[in-house]
């Protein structure tokens, strides 16, 4: 039998997607993230996660339709979940408003 892999699962654009667990350093609940003016559409904003500023990449914009993404107004706050990527990409996180599952 082959080795089984574990993934962090999330939904985007009505599709269930996954990232290999070894590519994820941690899962964080985002309660306050700041939208960055003039950032590319796929950047949801930035958040302070354990004292580090992490750029949140919007899963809906990257993998889905983008229809569920909120209007990006400077100074607005967003909430959701982040899968912070493992080093050397630890300054990036995949952001989603849906829950993240491990399996």
């Amino acid at each position: 039998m082959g080795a089984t892999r574990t993934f962090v699962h999330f939904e985007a654009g009505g599709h269930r997607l996954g990232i290999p667990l070894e590519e994820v350093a941690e899962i964080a609940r985002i309660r306050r993230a700041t939208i960055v003016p003039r950032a590319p559409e796929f950047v949801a904003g930035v958040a302070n996660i354990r004292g580090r500023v992490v750029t949140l990449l919007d899963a809906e914009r990257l993998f889905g339709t983008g229809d569920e993404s909120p209007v990006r107004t400077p100074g607005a706050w967003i909430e959701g979940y982040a899968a912070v990527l493992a080093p050397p990409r630890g300054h990036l996180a995949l952001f989603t408003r849906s829950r993240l599952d491990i399996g």
Side-chain angles (χ1 to χ4, degrees):
M1 291 179 103
T4 18
R5 292 185 74 187
T6 304
F7 290 86
V8 175
H9 298 273
F10 61 96
E11 290 188 19
H15 296 57
R16 188 145 174 87
L17 305 168
I19 307 169
L21 184 59
E22 61 268 12
E23 296 292 327
V24 177
E26 71 178 286
I27 304 292
R29 173 84 169 111
I30 303 298
R31 297 190 187 281
R32 293 184 78 169
T34 304
I35 292 172
V36 180
R38 298 187 186 146
E41 285 293 315
F42 60 85
V43 174
V46 294
N48 181 334
I49 299 175
R50 296 183 192 257
R52 290 186 335 228
V53 175
V54 177
T55 301
L56 304 174
L57 306 177
D58 191 329
E60 280 296 323
R61 298 267 182 201
L62 289 171
F63 306 112
T65 61
D67 295 340
E68 295 178 23
S69 295
V71 174
R72 296 175 352 139
T73 305
W77 298 103
I78 57 173
E79 292 186 45
Y81 298 90
V84 180
L85 301 180
R89 294 175 290 281
H91 61 287
L92 299 172
L94 190 61
F95 175 78
T96 180
R97 280 158 287 289
S98 70
R99 293 185 69 80
L100 295 167
D101 302 319
I102 298 176

